Amino acid sequence: SSDLYCAPAFRVLADVFGIKLGSSGPRGLRSLMRSADSPLALVPGGFEEATVTSTGAERVYLKTRAGFVKYALRHGYDLVPCYAAGESDLFGNPQGAWRLRWKLNQLSVPAVIPLGFPLFPLLPRRIPVSVVIGTPLKMPHIKRP
């Protein structure tokens, strides 16, 4: 959410690690790409992907998330596909109450109940996660894709 990067603690942590923050919405993404700062990392799944996350199942939510490809073409950014297998097992996320959860997502409220490490449920479980980084997809620079 665009509200998350405004949270003081989150912003301080990002500043400590030298991470530039911005919204992944159309206006914020255009602004970041126009500034030509590279590299730029984007996690397109959002609240919806967090909502459908289920332990033991690999799920992604890209149904309405193709706009970043258009912006990559428009601003000449390459795309590097990445996937973290096993990430859905870091936290449990009770399933059900889908109508309410999708409505909360529309209001920019994450509809998740993260259940991680037993003694400290907001910390992730200690399990292996395999991260795969693909070869960059060279994108042509097209003014109006």
Side-chain angles (χ1 to χ4, degrees):
S1 163
S2 57
D3 300 327
L4 180 61
Y5 73 89
C6 293
F10 193 75
R11 182 165 293 286
V12 167
L13 280 174
D15 287 344
V16 166
F17 290 106
I19 299 170
K20 291 183 181 178
L21 298 172
S23 171
S24 59
R27 192 170 36 178
L29 193 54
R30 276 194 305 266
S31 174
L32 286 169
M33 288 184 152
R34 269 193 221 118
S35 69
D37 284 338
S38 190
L40 175 66
L42 176 70
V43 181
F47 286 157
E48 289 80 7
E49 185 165 304
T51 298
V52 299
T53 296
S54 177
T55 304
E58 297 291 330
R59 297 178 180 169
V60 294
Y61 186 89
L62 295 174
K63 189 174 185 177
T64 59
R65 303 286 194 245
F68 68 94
V69 176
K70 179 174 69 174
Y71 290 119
L73 289 167
R74 183 176 293 153
H75 297 283
Y77 276 79
D78 295 338
L79 295 176
V80 180
C82 303
Y83 191 76
E87 183 180 23
S88 61
D89 295 332
L90 293 174
F91 291 96
N93 182 29
Q95 303 295 288
W98 297 112
R99 282 188 186 160
L100 172 64
R101 294 173 81 176
W102 290 118
K103 192 57 142 175
L104 288 171
N105 285 338
Q106 290 172 354
L107 298 172
S108 295
V109 176
V112 297
I113 302 171
L115 303 170
F117 191 72
L119 296 176
F120 302 102
L122 293 179
L123 293 177
R125 295 179 186 131
R126 296 186 61 174
I127 58 153
V129 175
S130 299
V131 178
V132 179
I133 301 173
T135 56
L137 304 170
K138 295 287 184 190
M139 305 299 282
H141 191 200
I142 302 172
K143 279 193 171 197
R144 297 184 193 273

